[in-house]
Amino acid sequence: MSTPAPESPAPRVVVIGGGPGGYEAALVGRRLGADVTVVEAAGMGGAAVLTDVVPSKTLIATAEWMTIADRAPELGIRLDGTPLSGGTLEELRHRIDLAAVNTRVKALAAAQSADIRARLEREGVRIILGHGHLEGPSRVAVTTPQGADDLVLDADVVLVATGATPRALPEARPDGERILTWTQLYDLNALPERLIVVGSGVTGAEFAGAYTSLGADVVLVSSRDRVLPGEDADAAQLLEDVFKTRGMTVMSQSRAAGARRTATGVEVTLSDGRVIEGSHVLFAVGSIPTSSGLGLEEAGVRLTPSGHIEVDKVSRTNVRGIYAAGDVTGVLPLASVAAMQGRLAMAHALGDAVKPLSLRGVSANIFTSPEIATVGSSEKVLQEQGVKYSVSMLPLARNPRAKMLGVRDGFIKIFAHGATGTVLGAVVVGPRASESIYPLTLAVTHRLTTDQLAETATVYPSMSGTIAEVARILHHRAED
């Protein structure tokens, strides 16, 4: 009678970082039978949930309601009330209670973090609060909040998902009161009288737009010739026009050299010597990967000159058994991409079937008002690659549903291959563009043609009807 072979022990997985890349990887690891430990310094969900994506989009959602409320008179909605001591109804406009808004923002972020932690614990994931760092390719030491190396974890697989932190200028060190990064905005108890936003990329544009809608006087300092320099030119120009219409001051081709506190606020010095005065300044000048102090180089992990961890299409580093995911890799700074990288890494490490990461069908959204959503190749990339393509764009203002809702700003643009009609990319600008981009994401991912889009029935009236209309125009152009 033969003795049954002993069962192999479960693979030991240690995830450093509890953001989207980390916790999504942990769930995959448990599903595939691994013994999974997540080491997280701040709280489950990481910066994405606690100080970045969730709180910022919650604040922006509140600002969006303010924009809708301000537009209400156009729809025949009037404020009802008695003017105050000889005042006018203008005094009865909506006002923001920023302390209450930020209390809600932080409570919602904390609740989301708790939900993620509860889910992981239900799945059997071990969670340790502390800072993890590598002691070689297969050992992770954990420094707890008490400051001692209390734990050393042996690992068959290590995933580094530590994210990134806001970049700070040496001449403008954040103080959390007047000179701020985007992680520090949620401690403000009153709306800034005059907020200077330095940086016109995605983060700068989102916060500048939000605080303008909330009622602050906003100055947006852009080192380039327009806001959102990396985005579709038509979308960026429309957004800049909207910003200016709403009262924002946009200073193009102006580079900030530093900032200092004054008795009543801040002064921002530009590289040409000009000085801008405000009550607060927000620096949104990019981020740096959280890769130092993790023992990566000592373990032999290769970093780029910018400090990002080099990974391949399944999130492997150059060291066997060590993977990385999310903003620390510099692949694409989106929570959705971090989650994809984490899932791919864990599936590959534990022997499951995987497809290498492809960014072709990844959609992205800028949560300004109006929103800007994109998928696939941009017009700039198509031109640089010499691709023969057709493009068509229609404004949302002519859409019947948009008219009903009082929507004036926005458009839908589709790029299609000149010979086959395959959808190569798209841009949607308008309210809830983040939701409207989905059918175009399906088209890009599954290589649908504009004819297939045009032949698909849409609800009338609906904003998505314009997608089919743009597709029909491209079909007719292909026949010319």
PDB file of all heavy atoms in Angstrom, residues 296-310:
ATOM      1  N   LEU A 296      15.040  47.842  -2.975  1.00  0.00           N
ATOM      2  CA  LEU A 296      14.924  47.309  -4.339  1.00  0.00           C
ATOM      3  C   LEU A 296      16.288  47.135  -5.000  1.00  0.00           C
ATOM      4  O   LEU A 296      16.588  46.067  -5.559  1.00  0.00           O
ATOM      5  CB  LEU A 296      14.049  48.243  -5.180  1.00  0.00           C
ATOM      6  CG  LEU A 296      12.564  48.289  -4.783  1.00  0.00           C
ATOM      7  CD1 LEU A 296      11.878  49.479  -5.441  1.00  0.00           C
ATOM      8  CD2 LEU A 296      11.881  46.984  -5.186  1.00  0.00           C
ATOM      9  N   GLU A 297      17.078  48.181  -4.955  1.00  0.00           N
ATOM     10  CA  GLU A 297      18.389  48.104  -5.616  1.00  0.00           C
ATOM     11  C   GLU A 297      19.291  47.073  -4.946  1.00  0.00           C
ATOM     12  O   GLU A 297      20.036  46.357  -5.609  1.00  0.00           O
ATOM     13  CB  GLU A 297      19.041  49.485  -5.623  1.00  0.00           C
ATOM     14  CG  GLU A 297      18.293  50.479  -6.509  1.00  0.00           C
ATOM     15  CD  GLU A 297      18.824  51.899  -6.389  1.00  0.00           C
ATOM     16  OE1 GLU A 297      18.727  52.459  -5.277  1.00  0.00           O
ATOM     17  OE2 GLU A 297      19.344  52.407  -7.395  1.00  0.00           O
ATOM     18  N   GLU A 298      19.169  46.975  -3.618  1.00  0.00           N
ATOM     19  CA  GLU A 298      19.968  45.974  -2.895  1.00  0.00           C
ATOM     20  C   GLU A 298      19.564  44.558  -3.295  1.00  0.00           C
ATOM     21  O   GLU A 298      20.385  43.639  -3.295  1.00  0.00           O
ATOM     22  CB  GLU A 298      19.804  46.161  -1.385  1.00  0.00           C
ATOM     23  CG  GLU A 298      20.416  47.446  -0.834  1.00  0.00           C
ATOM     24  CD  GLU A 298      19.524  48.660  -1.009  1.00  0.00           C
ATOM     25  OE1 GLU A 298      18.444  48.523  -1.630  1.00  0.00           O
ATOM     26  OE2 GLU A 298      19.904  49.745  -0.533  1.00  0.00           O
ATOM     27  N   ALA A 299      18.286  44.397  -3.652  1.00  0.00           N
ATOM     28  CA  ALA A 299      17.806  43.077  -4.086  1.00  0.00           C
ATOM     29  C   ALA A 299      18.072  42.831  -5.565  1.00  0.00           C
ATOM     30  O   ALA A 299      17.761  41.751  -6.079  1.00  0.00           O
ATOM     31  CB  ALA A 299      16.304  42.959  -3.804  1.00  0.00           C
ATOM     32  N   GLY A 300      18.644  43.838  -6.238  1.00  0.00           N
ATOM     33  CA  GLY A 300      18.977  43.669  -7.645  1.00  0.00           C
ATOM     34  C   GLY A 300      17.902  44.114  -8.609  1.00  0.00           C
ATOM     35  O   GLY A 300      18.027  43.899  -9.823  1.00  0.00           O
ATOM     36  N   VAL A 301      16.840  44.733  -8.108  1.00  0.00           N
ATOM     37  CA  VAL A 301      15.750  45.164  -8.978  1.00  0.00           C
ATOM     38  C   VAL A 301      16.170  46.415  -9.746  1.00  0.00           C
ATOM     39  O   VAL A 301      16.673  47.378  -9.167  1.00  0.00           O
ATOM     40  CB  VAL A 301      14.477  45.458  -8.161  1.00  0.00           C
ATOM     41  CG1 VAL A 301      13.370  46.008  -9.067  1.00  0.00           C
ATOM     42  CG2 VAL A 301      14.001  44.198  -7.452  1.00  0.00           C
ATOM     43  N   ARG A 302      15.937  46.391 -11.043  1.00  0.00           N
ATOM     44  CA  ARG A 302      16.367  47.485 -11.895  1.00  0.00           C
ATOM     45  C   ARG A 302      15.342  48.619 -11.880  1.00  0.00           C
ATOM     46  O   ARG A 302      14.147  48.396 -12.032  1.00  0.00           O
ATOM     47  CB  ARG A 302      16.569  46.975 -13.319  1.00  0.00           C
ATOM     48  CG  ARG A 302      17.344  47.923 -14.226  1.00  0.00           C
ATOM     49  CD  ARG A 302      17.975  47.209 -15.402  1.00  0.00           C
ATOM     50  NE  ARG A 302      17.028  46.350 -16.091  1.00  0.00           N
ATOM     51  CZ  ARG A 302      17.239  45.070 -16.355  1.00  0.00           C
ATOM     52  NH1 ARG A 302      18.368  44.492 -15.969  1.00  0.00           N
ATOM     53  NH2 ARG A 302      16.345  44.348 -17.004  1.00  0.00           N
ATOM     54  N   LEU A 303      15.852  49.850 -11.704  1.00  0.00           N
ATOM     55  CA  LEU A 303      15.020  51.051 -11.725  1.00  0.00           C
ATOM     56  C   LEU A 303      15.376  51.907 -12.928  1.00  0.00           C
ATOM     57  O   LEU A 303      16.498  51.872 -13.428  1.00  0.00           O
ATOM     58  CB  LEU A 303      15.214  51.867 -10.440  1.00  0.00           C
ATOM     59  CG  LEU A 303      14.967  51.173  -9.101  1.00  0.00           C
ATOM     60  CD1 LEU A 303      15.220  52.140  -7.952  1.00  0.00           C
ATOM     61  CD2 LEU A 303      13.540  50.630  -9.024  1.00  0.00           C
ATOM     62  N   THR A 304      14.411  52.708 -13.382  1.00  0.00           N
ATOM     63  CA  THR A 304      14.670  53.662 -14.456  1.00  0.00           C
ATOM     64  C   THR A 304      15.343  54.899 -13.865  1.00  0.00           C
ATOM     65  O   THR A 304      15.362  55.086 -12.639  1.00  0.00           O
ATOM     66  CB  THR A 304      13.365  54.072 -15.142  1.00  0.00           C
ATOM     67  OG1 THR A 304      12.589  54.859 -14.232  1.00  0.00           O
ATOM     68  CG2 THR A 304      12.562  52.856 -15.573  1.00  0.00           C
ATOM     69  N   PRO A 305      15.899  55.783 -14.710  1.00  0.00           N
ATOM     70  CA  PRO A 305      16.496  57.019 -14.180  1.00  0.00           C
ATOM     71  C   PRO A 305      15.521  57.857 -13.369  1.00  0.00           C
ATOM     72  O   PRO A 305      15.933  58.599 -12.466  1.00  0.00           O
ATOM     73  CB  PRO A 305      16.936  57.759 -15.454  1.00  0.00           C
ATOM     74  CG  PRO A 305      17.198  56.671 -16.444  1.00  0.00           C
ATOM     75  CD  PRO A 305      16.167  55.627 -16.153  1.00  0.00           C
ATOM     76  N   SER A 306      14.215  57.740 -13.642  1.00  0.00           N
ATOM     77  CA  SER A 306      13.213  58.496 -12.887  1.00  0.00           C
ATOM     78  C   SER A 306      12.835  57.838 -11.568  1.00  0.00           C
ATOM     79  O   SER A 306      12.059  58.398 -10.786  1.00  0.00           O
ATOM     80  CB  SER A 306      11.953  58.683 -13.743  1.00  0.00           C
ATOM     81  OG  SER A 306      11.394  57.412 -14.077  1.00  0.00           O
ATOM     82  N   GLY A 307      13.375  56.649 -11.308  1.00  0.00           N
ATOM     83  CA  GLY A 307      13.076  55.953 -10.066  1.00  0.00           C
ATOM     84  C   GLY A 307      11.942  54.956 -10.158  1.00  0.00           C
ATOM     85  O   GLY A 307      11.573  54.333  -9.156  1.00  0.00           O
ATOM     86  N   HIS A 308      11.365  54.781 -11.336  1.00  0.00           N
ATOM     87  CA  HIS A 308      10.304  53.785 -11.514  1.00  0.00           C
ATOM     88  C   HIS A 308      10.893  52.379 -11.614  1.00  0.00           C
ATOM     89  O   HIS A 308      12.043  52.203 -12.039  1.00  0.00           O
ATOM     90  CB  HIS A 308       9.493  54.089 -12.778  1.00  0.00           C
ATOM     91  CG  HIS A 308       8.681  55.340 -12.691  1.00  0.00           C
ATOM     92  ND1 HIS A 308       9.129  56.553 -13.174  1.00  0.00           N
ATOM     93  CD2 HIS A 308       7.448  55.569 -12.174  1.00  0.00           C
ATOM     94  CE1 HIS A 308       8.201  57.476 -12.956  1.00  0.00           C
ATOM     95  NE2 HIS A 308       7.175  56.911 -12.352  1.00  0.00           N
ATOM     96  N   ILE A 309      10.094  51.398 -11.238  1.00  0.00           N
ATOM     97  CA  ILE A 309      10.527  50.008 -11.330  1.00  0.00           C
ATOM     98  C   ILE A 309      10.273  49.505 -12.749  1.00  0.00           C
ATOM     99  O   ILE A 309       9.157  49.617 -13.262  1.00  0.00           O
ATOM    100  CB  ILE A 309       9.769  49.124 -10.312  1.00  0.00           C
ATOM    101  CG1 ILE A 309       9.989  49.635  -8.889  1.00  0.00           C
ATOM    102  CG2 ILE A 309      10.211  47.674 -10.439  1.00  0.00           C
ATOM    103  CD1 ILE A 309       9.158  48.899  -7.844  1.00  0.00           C
ATOM    104  N   GLU A 310      11.289  48.947 -13.372  1.00  0.00           N
ATOM    105  CA  GLU A 310      11.133  48.391 -14.712  1.00  0.00           C
ATOM    106  C   GLU A 310      10.363  47.071 -14.646  1.00  0.00           C
ATOM    107  O   GLU A 310      10.711  46.181 -13.860  1.00  0.00           O
ATOM    108  CB  GLU A 310      12.492  48.140 -15.365  1.00  0.00           C
ATOM    109  CG  GLU A 310      13.213  49.396 -15.812  1.00  0.00           C
ATOM    110  CD  GLU A 310      14.443  49.076 -16.651  1.00  0.00           C
ATOM    111  OE1 GLU A 310      14.675  47.881 -16.950  1.00  0.00           O
ATOM    112  OE2 GLU A 310      15.180  50.013 -16.992  1.00  0.00           O
TER     113      GLU A 310
END
